[in-house]
Amino acid sequence: MSPLTKKLGRDLWRIKGQAIAIALVIAVGVLMQVMQTGLVASLDETRRAYYERYRLADVFAPVTRAPEWLAADLRGIPGVAAVQTRVVGNALVDLPGIDLPLQAQAVSLPDSGQPRLNDVFLTDGRMFAGDRPGEVVILQSFAKAHGLKPGESLEVTMNGARRSFDIVGFAMSPEFLYTTAPGEVVPDDSRFAVLWMSRTALSAAFDMDGAFNEALISLSRGTEPAAVISAVDRLLDRFGGIGAYALEDLPSDKYIAQEIEGLRQTSATVPPVFMAVAAFLLYIVISRMLQAEREEIGLMKAFGYTNWEVGSHYLQMILVIAVGGAVFGALLGIAAGRALVDVYLLYYKFPFLVFRLAPSSFVIGIGASVLAASAGGLFVLRGVFALTPAVAMRAAPPPDYSRSLHFGKKLSGFLDQPTRMVLRRMTRQPVRMFGAIVGIAAGVALSAAMAAILTSFDEMIELTFDVTDRSDVTVSFIHPIERQSLHDIETMTGVIEVEPVRIVPAILSHGRNSYRGAITGMVEQPRLNRAVDSDTRPIRLRRDGIILSTGLARILAIAPGDWLTVDVREGRRPKVELPVIAVAESLMGSPAYMEISALNRALKEPLRVSGAFLRMDPEHAGQIYRELKDMPMVAGVAPKNDSREALQRMTDQGAGAMRYIMALIAGVITFGVIYNAARVAQAERARDLAGLRVLGFTRGEIAFVLLGELAVVTLLALPLGALGGFGLTFAISAGFSTDLYQIPASFSFASFGQAMVVVLVAALLSGWAVKRDIDRSDLVLALKTRE
């Protein structure tokens, strides 16, 4: 072992605390890189394989009712590889002991053999027999939520008729990875089922003999969906085509695609922050070490070591810390990725999901950490090459403090000597102090931003379910009905208030931007479900235009005063131009609001409603649910509390769970910065502090001289960190927001207070560790000049 190698081991052991702290900062960055890149690769590859294996359609074409012979015309469209027609319909499931009617979607499969498109994965039991119309296969997640087993019976209301079915198996499908009931945006396994039946049985239930109401289309390789969709719409238009759409507009695929894209963006933006902090910390540590070992460098050169040999010695120290942290972070990333895979497997209902390591993540993570660390150290190592043995072995010229802070007699009498020492230290090395302030401020900003995001998730739920939606239950109907039909609901015992709503599916366009969504028609001054502005004040719905949510306005790049093209996909399917009169704050979905009579007038369908918001007496809830269950016009009932709980579960999983990981990481980086600042200050002033002890200063006064500096730096970093956290909050909230929910960027004093607690705890722990070493230090050894 060469002398320089032995020295490397001794030096690393001497700064082991700082080395470990810097390595942890690097490890966290690599952990995020490996974990999130691996999750992106795993989700992307699993989704692609699942779609291909079970032949998920490329285009979905719903229609009111089309004859079966039209399938041949659909197959003749250029670019179409295969066509599968089917029957789908809404249903209500009645389970024993549950008053609430549970929504379901009935989907047909061929009476025998596998479907050409949108096959299912059977998890339990068997498939139904084509000659037995009373057999169904149900969605596995719904069955598990209610403890159902193959062989049990199921009471279902379809097309207004009550039927009994035998459950013969459970299944999963790539079409229903993310399942929501019609009219809702939050998935809830316990309140939404999918029932697969034979084509003959379902056609009979919905009066679709010899007809279909949805066509599934797969495309030839290289075919653009837009051209095929236009041709399909032309064919289905006279049969009540609702508008074909591509796979990317399927709600299940859209949400998963947004999840993957969010992970991809985070993996590309977060790790560089940690690499930059690590480079800064290494710069500080190595520069201090070079100043302390100035004479040793001169001796090594005098004994024949070249500039490259001496420089490579310190560079090896940097690489050991960087590579060690990167390898440790890679191992943690693998473990964290494998743990999160189980969460995604349960949440997204994949039949299989294996954590797939992306080799590029290791190359990028380890390579970036090494390059960043080397960049921080190379600025310092230039001084090694500049030092000649004669210059290095002489004492460094004393710094010029003639222009530094001076205390007058009055100020000197007011401030004690340790306090003056702290203030002089701050003014004599302003660049280093500013660097420490910036480093701690970065930790404060990240901690404050993550605390704000944690609060914003709760604010999003509170604003949605306490401020915007003040109803107790949302009732949806099978099809739009007359307004007077709500009288039966209004007269139910326990119903306090009923507010009608009309929801119309439509394609909203502005310029080149479009969004497939719906228009929600409400009364002029709604009380139970309101549109509110950014100050949560209710917006009065006018009859001269449309109000868009903030998320939808951002997607369409539209503002009040602009005109919106609305292509209605229901009834007569008119295409109208409407002015945007306001933008409302909505954190759930991307709704558009209109006054209900104005919406019905535009559709030429007066006095129509498609649902209602109810406020009711909780004591009569069970009775109300039972009565709604018996109404043939009711398609679904959604209690607000159930939707709220489902949203809370969703935000605690998937992308929402990542906020907890990032909050923990913010604490790690904050502690790393503060701990290194304290250790560097201790190492630089070890001899001075020992001299003060010999002169009679107490341990408490010595600790005040050192830790007072850390306290001042930390306090100065807090306002700078608050400003950085304010800006960072907007960037992180935009990254977490999706079409399903938008996270408000609200930076509050409470969020900053939480960040301050994190910083103060990190400062106290660092100060305690440094003070402990000061109390244990050998005064004689510290006062000796290193040879």
Side-chain angles (χ1 to χ4, degrees):
M1 185 179 295
S2 67
L4 288 182
T5 304
K6 294 180 181 179
K7 182 179 183 303
L8 175 63
R10 289 195 300 268
D11 290 343
L12 286 172
W13 179 255
R14 181 160 47 87
I15 63 167
K16 56 184 179 295
Q18 294 169 268
I20 291 174
I22 297 172
L24 285 177
V25 173
I26 295 174
V28 167
V30 177
L31 181 153
M32 295 287 290
Q33 177 77 35
V34 172
M35 178 187 68
Q36 294 190 307
T37 305
L39 287 173
V40 167
S42 301
L43 289 173
D44 225 356
E45 180 63 24
T46 301
R47 181 181 62 160
R48 183 196 61 78
Y50 195 23
Y51 286 2
E52 288 183 359
R53 186 175 301 177
Y54 293 92
R55 304 177 298 282
L56 187 63
D58 298 310
V59 174
F60 295 76
V63 62
T64 303
R65 181 188 175 95
E68 188 62 35
W69 56 261
L70 196 65
D73 294 342
L74 293 173
R75 293 187 186 96
I77 297 175
V80 172
V83 174
Q84 173 80 52
T85 62
R86 68 180 184 179
V87 175
V88 298
N90 294 329
L92 291 179
V93 176
D94 184 8
L95 292 180
I98 299 179
D99 296 325
L100 184 70
L102 305 176
Q103 297 190 65
Q105 182 173 354
V107 180
S108 73
L109 292 175
D111 293 350
S112 61
Q114 293 182 332
R116 300 190 66 182
L117 299 174
N118 287 32
D119 200 358
V120 299
F121 171 66
L122 192 67
T123 61
D124 298 275
R126 61 175 176 84
M127 290 299 294
F128 52 78
D131 57 349
R132 297 178 183 175
E135 294 183 345
V136 296
V137 173
I138 67 174
L139 188 66
Q140 183 199 44
S141 56
F142 178 81
K144 285 186 174 181
H146 293 284
L148 300 176
K149 297 179 181 179
E152 296 183 3
S153 61
L154 200 65
E155 296 294 325
V156 181
T157 301
M158 289 184 181
N159 201 22
R162 198 176 188 86
R163 305 169 188 269
S164 180
F165 296 97
D166 294 326
I167 302 172
V168 296
F170 304 154
M172 304 172 72
S173 169
E175 184 180 355
F176 299 103
L177 292 175
Y178 175 84
T179 54
T180 57
E184 298 186 37
V185 294
V186 181
D188 189 344
D189 292 341
S190 64
R191 293 194 298 113
F192 180 71
V194 180
L195 312 176
W196 287 279
M197 303 171 53
S198 67
R199 174 68 178 271
T200 300
L202 199 56
S203 295
F206 286 94
D207 299 324
M208 285 285 176
D209 291 330
F212 65 90
N213 60 8
E214 186 170 38
L216 307 174
I217 301 170
S218 68
L219 305 179
S220 303
R221 189 179 299 274
T223 301
E224 288 294 330
V228 175
I229 289 173
S230 298
V232 170
D233 285 342
R234 286 194 296 270
L235 279 176
L236 297 180
D237 185 66
R238 61 195 177 105
F239 299 101
I242 301 174
Y245 56 92
L247 173 61
E248 62 184 16
D249 288 322
L250 182 71
S252 172
D253 181 76
K254 179 184 290 187
Y255 185 78
I256 293 176
Q258 290 177 348
E259 179 84 354
I260 295 174
E261 183 59 29
L263 287 172
R264 184 178 285 113
Q265 291 179 359
T266 305
S267 66
T269 56
V270 173
V273 174
F274 293 91
M275 303 308 171
V277 172
F280 168 74
L281 295 179
L282 280 171
Y283 171 82
I284 297 298
V285 171
I286 300 301
S287 63
R288 186 211 62 79
M289 183 176 292
L290 288 180
Q291 291 175 1
E293 297 185 351
R294 174 187 176 94
E295 294 183 12
E296 292 184 9
I297 293 173
L299 283 172
M300 287 188 286
K301 289 187 175 184
F303 278 101
Y305 287 99
T306 65
N307 286 331
W308 286 106
E309 287 174 326
V310 177
S312 65
H313 163 72
Y314 291 99
L315 184 60
Q316 286 175 20
M317 183 181 302
I318 295 173
L319 295 179
V320 167
I321 297 173
V323 173
V327 172
F328 182 59
L331 296 176
L332 290 178
I334 296 173
R338 293 187 185 279
L340 281 179
V341 156
D342 294 335
V343 175
Y344 283 91
L345 184 61
L346 293 174
Y347 185 62
Y348 288 116
K349 305 173 184 65
F350 284 112
F352 55 87
L353 182 59
V354 179
F355 183 63
R356 180 174 174 266
L357 295 174
S360 60
S361 65
F362 292 95
V363 176
I364 295 174
I366 296 176
S369 61
V370 171
L371 289 175
S374 300
L378 287 176
F379 284 102
V380 183
L381 294 182
R382 291 180 304 174
V384 174
F385 292 89
L387 283 176
T388 61
V391 173
M393 294 179 69
R394 289 201 303 265
D400 182 10
Y401 294 139
S402 60
R403 298 181 181 179
S404 62
L405 179 66
H406 292 279
F407 298 98
K409 292 183 178 179
K410 292 184 178 180
L411 192 60
S412 298
F414 179 73
L415 298 175
D416 59 10
Q417 195 167 13
T419 303
R420 296 199 301 271
M421 291 180 181
V422 172
L423 295 178
R424 286 196 189 99
R425 169 80 171 180
M426 298 289 297
T427 58
R428 288 177 175 178
Q429 294 183 329
V431 175
R432 180 166 296 181
M433 293 300 105
F434 180 75
I437 291 171
V438 170
I440 296 175
V444 175
L446 188 56
S447 297
M450 291 316 305
I453 293 300
L454 289 174
T455 304
S456 296
F457 270 83
D458 296 332
E459 289 181 357
M460 180 265 293
I461 295 175
E462 181 180 354
L463 179 62
T464 300
F465 292 102
D466 292 338
V467 178
T468 303
D469 185 1
R470 301 193 298 180
S471 66
D472 296 318
V473 174
T474 302
V475 178
S476 57
F477 304 132
I478 296 175
H479 52 74
I481 63 174
E482 293 289 337
R483 169 69 177 83
Q484 63 184 13
S485 299
L486 291 180
H487 179 71
D488 294 338
I489 298 178
E490 293 171 339
T491 56
M492 287 182 181
T493 303
V495 173
I496 300 173
E497 188 175 0
V498 176
E499 193 171 273
V501 64
R502 177 78 190 271
I503 300 177
V504 179
I507 299 176
L508 311 177
S509 304
H510 176 247
R512 296 183 178 181
N513 302 312
S514 64
Y515 182 80
R516 188 181 186 89
I519 300 176
T520 302
M522 300 188 295
V523 296
E524 187 173 354
Q525 292 183 321
R527 288 167 42 85
L528 300 185
N529 195 295
R530 310 176 299 169
V532 298
D533 60 19
S534 57
D535 296 322
T536 67
R537 293 175 300 194
I539 298 176
R540 179 175 172 270
L541 298 182
R542 293 161 24 197
R543 302 185 180 185
D544 57 345
I546 190 170
I547 298 174
L548 303 183
S549 62
T550 52
L552 183 56
R554 183 172 58 251
I555 293 171
L556 297 176
I558 197 170
D562 295 337
W563 286 78
L564 180 70
T565 302
V566 179
D567 186 2
V568 178
R569 312 309 299 177
E570 172 181 286
R572 296 181 177 86
R573 291 172 287 125
K575 191 171 185 177
V576 297
E577 299 282 335
L578 296 172
V580 177
I581 57 175
V583 173
E585 192 74 20
S586 176
L587 304 178
M588 284 294 296
S590 301
Y593 306 103
M594 281 188 70
E595 199 277 329
I596 189 168
S597 62
L599 176 59
N600 283 329
R601 186 169 57 251
L603 300 177
K604 298 185 167 113
E605 296 178 354
L607 301 176
R608 292 275 180 169
V609 297
S610 59
F613 300 108
L614 274 59
R615 190 163 62 89
M616 63 184 189
D617 185 348
E619 294 183 358
H620 295 86
Q623 178 184 346
I624 294 173
Y625 292 153
R626 287 191 294 271
E627 293 184 31
L628 289 173
K629 190 188 300 184
D630 293 333
M631 289 184 171
M633 64 183 179
V634 173
V637 178
K640 184 177 72 172
N641 288 338
D642 290 355
S643 299
R644 182 175 192 151
E645 292 174 2
L647 180 60
Q648 187 67 61
R649 287 194 302 269
M650 186 187 67
T651 56
D652 289 339
Q653 300 173 2
M658 195 61 65
R659 70 190 194 272
Y660 294 110
I661 297 175
M662 293 186 67
L664 177 62
I665 288 171
V668 171
I669 193 173
T670 303
F671 176 77
V673 172
I674 296 178
Y675 180 78
N676 271 278
R679 283 298 186 187
V680 168
Q682 178 195 6
E684 288 179 339
R685 308 188 69 182
R687 194 167 187 272
D688 296 338
L689 296 176
L692 292 176
R693 284 282 291 125
V694 172
L695 293 175
F697 281 74
T698 65
R699 284 191 175 92
E701 291 172 328
I702 298 298
F704 177 82
V705 170
L706 182 61
L707 301 182
E709 174 187 325
L710 178 63
V712 173
V713 169
T714 302
L715 292 176
L716 291 177
L718 290 178
L720 184 61
L723 292 175
F726 179 79
L728 194 59
T729 300
F730 286 88
I732 296 177
S733 66
F736 275 119
S737 298
T738 67
D739 285 353
L740 175 63
Y741 55 80
Q742 291 80 46
I743 306 303
S746 56
F747 189 83
S748 62
F749 287 106
S751 302
F752 182 57
Q754 293 180 38
M756 287 180 61
V757 171
V758 173
V759 171
L760 293 177
V761 169
L764 289 174
L765 290 175
S766 302
W768 171 79
V770 171
K771 186 179 185 305
R772 185 191 59 178
D773 288 351
I774 292 175
D775 294 342
R776 295 177 179 177
S777 61
D778 188 333
L779 298 181
V780 176
L781 183 63
L783 288 170
K784 286 184 177 180
T785 302
R786 297 186 61 187
E787 298 296 335

